[in-house]
Amino acid sequence: RTGTDWPGNIKKLRIDIDDGVATLVDADGVAALDDSGNIADTARTFWSASDDGATVDKGGVGQLLAERDPDSRVIKTNTGTGGALQDFVPASITASAFGLSTEAELLALFGVGTRSALDNLLAWARGWTDSSKSESRAWILGDMLHSRPLVLNYGARGSHTATNPDIRIVVGTNAGFLHMFDNADGKETWAFFPKELAAVLDRRRDNAAAQDPVYGVDASPVFYSKDINRDGTIDSIAGDKLYVYFGLRRGGKAYYALDVSNPDSPAFLWKIDENTAGFGDLGQSWSVPVVTYVPGYASGGVPKPVLIFGAGYDTAKDNKATVATADSEGRGVYIVDAVSGALVWGVTPADNALKNLQLGMAHSIPAGVTVVDSNGDELTDRIYAADTGGNIWRVDLPGNALPTSAQTAWRAVKFAALNTSATDGHAGDRRFFYAPDVVRTMSRMYGAFDAVLIGSGDRENPNATDNDDRFYMLRDRQTGIYATAAPTAGECDDGSSDHRCDLPLTNADLYDASANDIQDGTDEEQTAAQAAMAGADGWYIDLQAADGEKALARSVTIAGKVYFTTFSPVIDNDDQCVPTGGTGRLYALRLLDATAAVDFSGDDELGLVDRSATLGFLIPDTPAPHFGSDKKIRLLFPSGGGLQGQANPFDTQATLREPYGTYWYNQEY
């Protein structure tokens, strides 16, 4: 696409399971994927009246929106007092609503010269070509470059039933809107335009060629729900709650919260940005929040929900000519009250205070965080965060009460330092853009440990070929909480058994499993490799299937097998006429020793060649686990992600263990 007004869409398919075989089918019950793994041109997706296939601006929720009378749309914006939602109409768009003194300032903010031009722009944003409303736009829905649709199940709300629940879909677009769609018919319920994105609209409408992309609500939403009587239905009349949270990613430095307890009538909860007290280190809001509970943050003994997220991305890291240098923002982790947005606690380079632990973090944290409940009390007491300087941080939250003086009870430590650019230049400039996968496990050889799994790769420079990225499994032997201060260097020298004496882990502490000697080596090589693995603090493999290979998504671990995707800007295909970006791959490794876990080659033997298989020609995301009615666990790949010689969904050969049900817990050790 050229220009800045990229189209977006959501289409729906169904997974049918017949005799153990899962198939993606369209609205007519016909297999929806062609031999290359793309949605077939002849497929008619749900909500579509005719065959629409993979064409973005055809069918799906986008076509339904384009066919609708724009004036019938419910669009809200946060122009009321305290951010209260008002109708997205010219009367709501005033200088005072935007905290400005004059009409001229308002016009300049929107990038127009007159009030008439502003009215035309607002009508365009709604779906008209201009304020005369004589013609509607051919396509309205903007691109969803990084925003994943969020499915909300309201259960047997209103006329719905348990077998036909009220399901809604929430997604952000770079046109500047957060949308809610009804799963039943694909129609838009409402849209929300954050007023802070005012400058987006004119640049989208301009649609100028050879311009930088325009970003709006560029991040994925998450939710918190409270079903008071636990009947499986979210009913706002009964007092049930459902809140949606989202950042802006490339669109800005802010997080928003909406009350969507009544899905047909959203309300504004809160907004935080870099100007909010306590959030001075907030960068671009890339980190998708984790909704959880933490020790000591409660009301009347009942834990209060919080959001935990990385402090964001510093665009200084966009410089492709330099290796990772220190950032000036995004350096930290924040915990905020999920209802009020108030800062609960943070760990940043800012001074020590009641609500901040000062730590020498030098690099931004755009990745989401991974939370762990060490003792099974349903409270998060450990956080893992990875940064763009190749470091992984561990934060411990011991105790059942928040500190009441200078922050000393909760603590943090650099768990790993894996960037070697100081000696290796660009080749060793390993950066992390996605949360680690933390797996609690044990083995006879290694005992109990928490496996921290992560792949490196510069998400903002996917076409680089001078990189030497790696995928890591790091053993965290401290499976409980660090409840005391870290030992001093002298105490470590005197033989302290505290695992922090061995941190941060570096590449030198890990076994290089790239050659796969444990599986492919001679008897002597296998013995030596196993001994080296046992003496190391984990393993890594070099990503070297093609020049520039890098991990650009989070891994997922199922039944001891680690699945992760990579991207190489080099096209690994004989047909060089295909206009594609590179080669995607899926890796499947055994967690304990990095050996191949799936016979991708089909020769009934496992070896180095079976570690990965090609997965389309675009940057692949994390495969989505699907838990089937037959209790099998499969992986679903995006359209165009045809896995070499495998079905989509892909059968992992793992099954759900008893007991089955809505809620179940399986302790591995």
Side-chain angles (χ1 to χ4, degrees):
R1 290 282 179 174
T2 60
T4 56
D5 192 28
W6 296 0
N9 207 347
I10 298 176
K11 301 191 181 189
K12 177 181 175 182
L13 298 172
R14 186 180 71 234
I15 296 178
D16 277 358
I17 299 175
D18 183 18
D19 196 23
V21 177
T23 305
L24 274 168
V25 300
D26 67 5
D28 299 315
V30 178
L33 302 184
D34 60 23
D35 292 340
S36 65
N38 290 304
I39 299 177
D41 292 337
T42 55
R44 182 177 70 88
T45 65
F46 289 80
W47 310 318
S48 300
S50 59
D51 296 353
D52 55 308
T55 304
V56 174
D57 50 359
K58 185 178 180 182
V61 299
Q63 185 164 342
L64 291 172
L65 186 59
E67 293 172 348
R68 182 171 174 174
D69 176 359
D71 278 349
S72 72
R73 297 179 63 195
V74 176
I75 306 180
K76 299 292 183 178
T77 186
N78 52 321
T79 49
T81 303
L85 298 188
Q86 294 182 322
D87 289 336
F88 183 74
V89 294
S92 301
I93 310 302
T94 64
S96 60
F98 283 76
L100 303 174
S101 301
T102 66
E103 179 86 351
E105 291 177 308
L106 178 69
L107 298 177
L109 181 64
F110 278 89
V112 296
T114 65
R115 185 71 206 199
S116 176
L118 178 57
D119 291 346
N120 283 334
L121 180 62
L122 298 178
W124 179 89
R126 177 171 288 277
W128 298 108
T129 56
D130 56 40
S131 60
S132 70
K133 300 183 180 180
S134 59
E135 182 181 359
S136 59
R137 292 162 54 199
W139 198 262
I140 299 171
L141 193 60
D143 65 282
M144 304 148 197
L145 188 59
H146 298 110
S147 183
R148 282 187 174 187
L150 171 68
V151 177
L152 303 175
N153 189 343
Y154 286 83
R157 175 182 172 274
S159 61
H160 291 268
T161 64
T163 56
N164 181 32
D166 185 355
I167 296 177
R168 308 295 176 103
I169 303 163
V170 176
V171 70
T173 76
N174 282 320
F177 293 86
L178 184 82
H179 300 262
M180 175 178 278
F181 299 98
D182 193 323
N183 178 70
D185 56 15
K187 294 181 179 179
E188 182 189 66
T189 307
W190 50 260
F192 165 62
F193 180 77
K195 68 179 184 181
E196 292 76 16
L197 296 179
V200 166
L201 297 179
D202 185 58
R203 294 175 61 203
R204 295 287 297 202
R205 181 182 60 173
D206 187 46
N207 200 24
Q211 296 292 316
D212 290 336
V214 177
Y215 299 95
V217 182
D218 189 38
S220 300
V222 295
F223 76 98
Y224 159 77
S225 65
K226 183 176 182 180
D227 181 3
I228 292 177
N229 60 8
R230 300 185 180 182
D231 64 352
T233 295
I234 300 299
D235 184 354
S236 60
I237 297 176
D240 295 339
K241 300 295 183 184
L242 201 160
Y243 303 147
V244 166
Y245 311 94
F246 63 96
L248 301 178
R249 204 177 185 275
R250 281 283 185 184
K253 304 176 183 179
Y255 284 95
Y256 295 81
L258 297 180
D259 182 347
V260 295
S261 304
N262 178 349
D264 300 320
S265 181
F268 189 81
L269 272 183
W270 52 259
K271 176 184 76 74
I272 56 176
D273 60 24
E274 76 273 26
N275 298 313
T276 305
F279 293 91
D281 223 286
L282 189 65
Q284 285 188 341
S285 48
W286 289 36
S287 184
V288 178
V290 174
V291 182
T292 185
Y293 303 90
V294 295
Y297 196 65
S299 176
V302 179
K304 298 168 65 176
V306 298
L307 305 181
I308 306 179
F309 51 87
Y313 182 64
D314 187 335
T315 56
K317 279 288 198 307
D318 286 344
N319 189 338
K320 298 178 176 60
T322 64
V323 297
T325 55
D327 291 322
S328 60
E329 60 186 17
R331 307 161 300 173
V333 173
Y334 290 117
I335 304 176
V336 306
D337 186 291
V339 178
S340 68
L343 178 64
V344 175
W345 188 74
V347 50
T348 75
D351 291 342
N352 276 318
L354 176 62
K355 295 185 178 182
N356 187 73
L357 171 66
Q358 185 181 50
L359 197 65
M361 293 176 165
H363 299 276
S364 56
I365 301 180
V369 302
T370 301
V371 301
V372 176
D373 173 10
S374 301
N375 54 17
D377 64 355
E378 299 184 353
L379 301 175
T380 287
D381 50 37
R382 247 192 293 162
I383 304 167
Y384 291 86
D387 70 27
T388 52
N391 304 301
I392 302 174
W393 301 86
R394 169 174 164 155
V395 182
D396 287 77
L397 312 176
N400 289 315
L402 290 176
T404 56
S405 58
Q407 186 57 261
T408 57
W410 289 356
R411 56 196 82 255
V413 64
K414 184 187 288 189
F415 174 69
L418 304 169
N419 186 304
T420 60
S421 60
T423 56
D424 302 328
H426 281 283
D429 187 15
R430 302 181 187 95
R431 308 183 187 190
F432 297 127
F433 280 81
Y434 293 90
D437 179 20
V438 179
V439 180
R440 312 204 73 188
T441 189
M442 71 175 302
S443 74
R444 292 179 181 177
M445 180 176 293
Y446 310 120
F449 67 94
D450 293 336
V452 181
L453 300 129
I454 195 168
S456 68
D458 188 349
R459 184 65 177 81
E460 297 313 290
N461 191 15
N463 291 325
T465 57
D466 58 355
N467 54 301
D468 179 15
D469 282 300
R470 292 172 172 171
F471 187 85
Y472 294 92
M473 189 281 280
L474 310 167
R475 294 194 198 102
D476 191 345
R477 303 179 190 277
Q478 179 65 23
T479 59
I481 309 168
Y482 285 122
T484 61
T488 65
E491 290 170 334
C492 290
D493 290 341
D494 290 339
S496 170
S497 61
D498 193 302
H499 291 300
R500 285 172 289 188
C501 289
D502 301 321
L503 301 181
L505 300 180
T506 68
N507 290 272
D509 297 315
L510 310 174
Y511 171 67
D512 181 356
S514 303
N516 201 37
D517 283 345
I518 289 178
Q519 200 166 38
D520 287 346
T522 64
D523 290 345
E524 293 79 7
E525 289 171 335
Q526 288 184 19
T527 299
Q530 289 168 348
M533 177 77 80
D537 289 302
W539 53 259
Y540 69 82
I541 63 167
D542 286 315
L543 301 178
Q544 50 190 206
D547 290 344
E549 186 179 16
K550 50 189 71 71
L552 300 178
R554 187 177 184 178
S555 64
V556 60
T557 303
I558 300 173
K561 299 177 183 178
V562 183
Y563 299 90
F564 65 94
T565 59
T566 68
F567 174 75
S568 307
V570 178
I571 300 175
D572 186 15
N573 190 306
D574 292 335
D575 184 3
Q576 296 298 314
C577 294
V578 176
T580 52
T583 298
R585 288 180 177 81
L586 173 73
Y587 281 75
L589 309 180
R590 295 198 179 279
L591 181 149
L592 292 178
D593 58 15
T595 55
V598 174
D599 182 18
F600 286 130
S601 64
D603 61 0
D604 295 325
E605 295 183 4
L606 291 176
L608 182 63
V609 68
D610 295 299
R611 273 184 169 169
S612 69
T614 57
L615 183 63
F617 301 104
L618 301 177
I619 297 176
D621 203 345
T622 303
H626 176 263
F627 303 91
S629 57
D630 57 357
K631 309 302 185 289
K632 288 187 177 183
I633 304 175
R634 299 175 174 87
L635 295 178
L636 184 64
F637 305 111
S639 173
L643 181 60
Q644 170 189 318
Q646 305 290 331
N648 185 9
F650 168 72
D651 190 348
T652 67
Q653 304 300 312
T655 58
L656 290 172
R657 302 177 186 177
E658 294 186 12
Y660 306 129
T662 304
Y663 302 100
W664 62 279
Y665 173 77
N666 181 45
Q667 184 168 327
E668 293 289 345
Y669 64 90

